[in-house]
Amino acid sequence: MSQPLTRISTLNLVLETPKGRGVFATALIPAGTVIDTAPVLLLSERDFDEHVTHTSLLHYSYNWPTPTDDGKSSVLRQAIVLGLGSMFNHSARRQNVGWKRNLEKQVVVYTALRDIAKGEELLISYGPHLTFVDAEEAMWQRGREAESGEDFLGGIEV
């Protein structure tokens, strides 16, 4: 029988990171711990197109599948995640926090994928379809190709 997940409140929002704001552990977070259960605000297509796309909120929206009236299919809407949910930075290779949508309750649950040390940044994967250049991935790729002697085309200058 698995142990119940526990929610912790040992997080600190930090403003000084190269990626922008980040969330850091202020104590050890054991694997399997529910770090945050964040409510979402579902946006209408009109609100998203006419308002959010013209603000910095655009960078904090999540895709949110919503059932159609017939209940047989779904449409993709956008949602703004409240609480710490929108403050987790992205990492394709070093994520230590997983996230899962609860469509019925309109929340996102964030869970530690492994033990997270005190002082470590909490990172999630935003998925494969990023709307920004993944600086971390470009640096990793550059380092890998420098070791192998291959040329790296694309990415950003660091």
Side-chain angles (χ1 to χ4, degrees), residues 47-59:
D47 284 344
F48 184 75
D49 291 342
E50 292 181 11
H51 302 289
V52 174
T53 58
H54 305 288
T55 71
S56 60
L57 284 176
L58 175 63
H59 305 292

Side-chain angles (χ1 to χ4, degrees), residues 9-145:
S9 60
T10 54
L11 306 173
N12 186 19
L13 183 64
V14 177
L15 300 176
E16 303 86 19
T17 75
K19 295 180 180 182
R21 295 179 184 174
V23 180
F24 291 77
T26 58
L28 171 70
I29 302 173
T33 300
V34 172
I35 295 166
D36 195 23
T37 301
V40 303
L41 294 176
L42 289 179
L43 301 170
S44 70
E45 187 174 343
R46 180 179 176 196
D47 284 344
F48 184 75
D49 291 342
E50 292 181 11
H51 302 289
V52 174
T53 58
H54 305 288
T55 71
S56 60
L57 284 176
L58 175 63
H59 305 292
Y60 296 94
S61 66
Y62 279 51
N63 292 329
W64 198 267
T66 305
T68 57
D69 289 337
D70 65 9
K72 296 180 181 179
S73 60
S74 65
V75 295
L76 196 60
R77 291 176 60 187
Q78 293 297 302
I80 300 297
V81 180
L82 303 175
L84 292 175
S86 289
M87 295 291 105
F88 293 116
N89 282 321
H90 166 75
S91 178
R93 298 185 181 276
R94 298 182 306 120
Q95 69 265 21
N96 50 17
V97 175
W99 60 276
K100 193 172 209 178
R101 296 177 195 94
N102 183 321
L103 301 177
E104 183 180 325
K105 293 183 179 180
Q106 295 184 359
V107 298
V108 178
V109 179
Y110 298 90
T111 306
L113 297 174
R114 59 169 174 76
D115 289 350
I116 302 171
K118 178 181 179 179
E120 186 176 352
E121 184 173 11
L122 281 67
L123 300 166
I124 66 173
S125 173
Y126 294 176
H129 305 292
L130 301 177
T131 58
F132 57 88
V133 174
D134 187 346
E136 181 182 81
E137 184 66 18
M139 287 187 297
W140 179 87
Q141 187 70 24
R142 225 194 284 338
R144 193 180 105 211
E145 290 169 351

